[in-house]
Amino acid sequence: MSKPITAAEIEARYRNSYGRAAGYLPGDRRAVEAWQADLARRARARTDGHVPSVQKLAELLGKDKELADLVTQTVKEALRLHDQGVRNTEEMLAALDLVTGTAPEYRLDPKQRIFFPMSALFVYMMATKSGNEFFKHQQFNKALRGILKAWCEFLDSPRSRYVLHDGPEGWLGQAAYEQFKLYEFDYRPEAAYGGFASYNAFFHRPIKPEFRPNGALHDLRAVVSANDGKVVRVYPNAQLDVPKIEVKAQPYSLDLMLGKYRKKGDFAGGDILQSFLSGADYHRWHAPVDGVVEYVEKVPGLQFSELYDTDHVDPSAGTLSQGYQANVNTRGIVVIRSESPDIGKVCVVPVGITEISSVDITVQEGDRVTRGDEIGRFSYGGSSMCLVFQPGRVEFTVPPGRKDVVGDDGAPVFVNGTIARAK
């Protein structure tokens, strides 16, 4: 029998959740509880029918009693942790209806910032035993991807721009300007909505080249970072087949991570550098080496599944889940054959975490890329990045992080900054 979950364990788990670490959920958990209570109230008052994407999930639950019972149990378990959230499946569906038409809002008070609405809705469900099973359910994840796609379409539309203003609590206001270093990015402060066509256009706004200079442009032995972020860890000797990935040591299973490309076996025993993107980071990714794109794939996967300890709430589960999520979450696979034979092939694996709206790959097989060329972007969503190298090819120039402790305080990396060199 599972041990009772204490308030201290829930608080520790929340502090290490991906959303909180990424800056999309507030430091004060009470703000999430107040937000959940308000969302539940509005969900109960909603009288319209479901939006099409949520209706598909409702229909799935109507046909799959086992899944419907699992949702019911997950909601009940979550209510034991916070009794002001959604009370049943219908309220959860109505809450998702509301989310699909809501843009993330900026708040001056860091304790009130709820930038990840689905993470805020699901945060207690994710901490339960039933939720551990629920968020791995393949059909549920398929339906949830449809809901997230609908939300992304809203965030891609002009309707989402109502949060893009220069008022005190607007994304273009002075506080946000300083926090998110908007001076580094291309936008037009004199224009309505900053000149952005949508919220997503703001989220993956392009950066000014002078703020990410490519000092290694003519050094063929250098590897540059594909993204802005912080080092999660450097993991040597990654194996193709790992029997158990749901452990804190987080072995990377290349058989799982690399999609259909795993059959090639090019990266067996290779090295992985994983980094973590926060909400303030630049959310486009760039080529780490000069070369030719040999392979491109987008792998659909999970969204809200985290590591789970059957005996208690693991306080480090959220941030320690990033290696696990690289194996099972929605992700991209881009293999580049470097023009430097000493570097060999490099695999770029952008990983969607929690609110995955989009992993957009903008290169095709056969394209030639130069270090610093843009190769893709995240639309609104949590995100992590893995670079996979063939064994014995590179020596890293960034601190390796720790295998047992992963937080949001790793060494910073920046697009076009050198992270490794050919041996």
Side-chain angles (χ1 to χ4, degrees), residues 11-307:
E11 177 63 22
R13 169 70 177 256
Y14 178 77
R15 294 292 302 169
N16 286 278
S17 69
Y18 184 87
R20 203 287 311 166
Y24 290 109
L25 293 180
D28 189 344
R29 186 165 53 94
R30 290 172 297 182
V32 174
E33 294 177 352
W35 182 92
Q36 279 194 353
D38 179 67
L39 181 67
R41 177 189 58 76
R42 290 188 291 126
R44 286 191 285 273
R46 192 174 186 277
T47 57
D48 296 337
H50 295 307
V51 301
S53 59
V54 177
Q55 179 60 31
K56 288 182 180 180
L57 175 57
E59 290 170 0
L60 171 65
L61 297 177
K63 292 185 292 187
D64 189 332
K65 184 178 184 304
E66 184 177 346
L67 176 59
D69 289 345
L70 185 59
V71 175
T72 298
Q73 184 61 30
T74 299
V75 171
K76 285 183 178 178
E77 289 182 23
L79 282 171
R80 294 177 194 145
L81 307 179
H82 168 53
D83 62 6
Q84 298 300 309
V86 295
R87 299 176 301 188
N88 52 51
T89 300
E90 189 54 40
E91 288 185 9
M92 183 193 78
L93 294 171
L96 288 170
D97 287 318
L98 293 169
V99 167
T100 60
T102 303
E105 296 180 335
Y106 185 75
R107 289 286 180 265
L108 276 173
D109 184 352
K111 294 181 180 179
Q112 301 298 318
R113 291 173 184 162
I114 307 286
F115 300 158
F116 263 28
M118 288 194 197
S119 289
L121 170 63
F122 291 146
V123 66
Y124 288 111
M125 298 184 200
M126 293 165 68
T128 67
K129 182 177 180 180
S130 294
N132 178 54
E133 183 179 353
F134 171 45
F135 288 111
K136 291 177 184 173
H137 193 284
Q138 294 296 327
Q139 290 303 309
F140 166 74
N141 274 276
K142 182 178 179 180
L144 185 58
R145 283 195 295 274
I147 296 170
L148 289 165
K149 181 180 178 182
W151 188 44
C152 187
E153 289 171 353
F154 170 78
L155 296 179
D156 278 335
S157 76
R159 292 176 296 149
S160 65
R161 294 189 299 183
Y162 67 90
V163 296
L164 301 180
H165 59 82
D166 60 4
E169 296 199 332
W171 285 100
L172 305 180
Q174 187 64 30
Y177 181 91
E178 298 295 341
Q179 180 183 355
F180 294 94
K181 300 180 180 179
L182 296 185
Y183 52 83
E184 293 187 352
F185 297 89
D186 282 328
Y187 85 105
R188 294 182 289 130
E190 75 286 354
Y193 309 111
F196 294 111
S198 66
Y199 180 85
N200 261 342
F202 165 77
F203 181 78
H204 50 57
R205 57 198 176 273
I207 201 163
K208 297 175 182 176
E210 60 266 31
F211 287 100
R212 294 297 181 273
N214 194 335
L217 186 62
H218 302 295
D219 182 358
L220 283 177
R221 299 184 66 79
V223 179
V224 301
S225 179
N227 61 288
D228 281 9
K230 292 184 178 180
V231 174
V232 173
R233 70 165 60 95
V234 173
Y235 193 95
N237 193 28
Q239 301 301 301
L240 285 176
D241 181 27
V242 176
K244 186 172 178 59
I245 61 171
E246 294 177 333
V247 294
K248 288 182 69 172
Q250 277 195 48
Y252 296 88
S253 171
L254 296 178
D255 265 344
L256 293 175
M257 182 192 293
L258 298 186
K260 297 175 183 176
Y261 192 83
R262 65 187 183 276
K263 298 175 183 177
K264 297 273 189 181
D266 290 339
F267 295 99
D271 302 314
I272 297 175
L273 169 65
Q274 185 167 12
S275 56
F276 155 93
L277 287 78
S278 76
D281 285 325
Y282 173 53
H283 273 76
R284 301 189 183 208
W285 358 295
H286 294 236
V289 293
D290 300 343
V292 176
V293 177
E294 282 199 344
Y295 184 82
V296 173
E297 181 185 359
K298 191 182 295 184
V299 182
L302 307 182
Q303 278 84 215
F304 288 89
S305 179
E306 292 185 343
L307 293 171

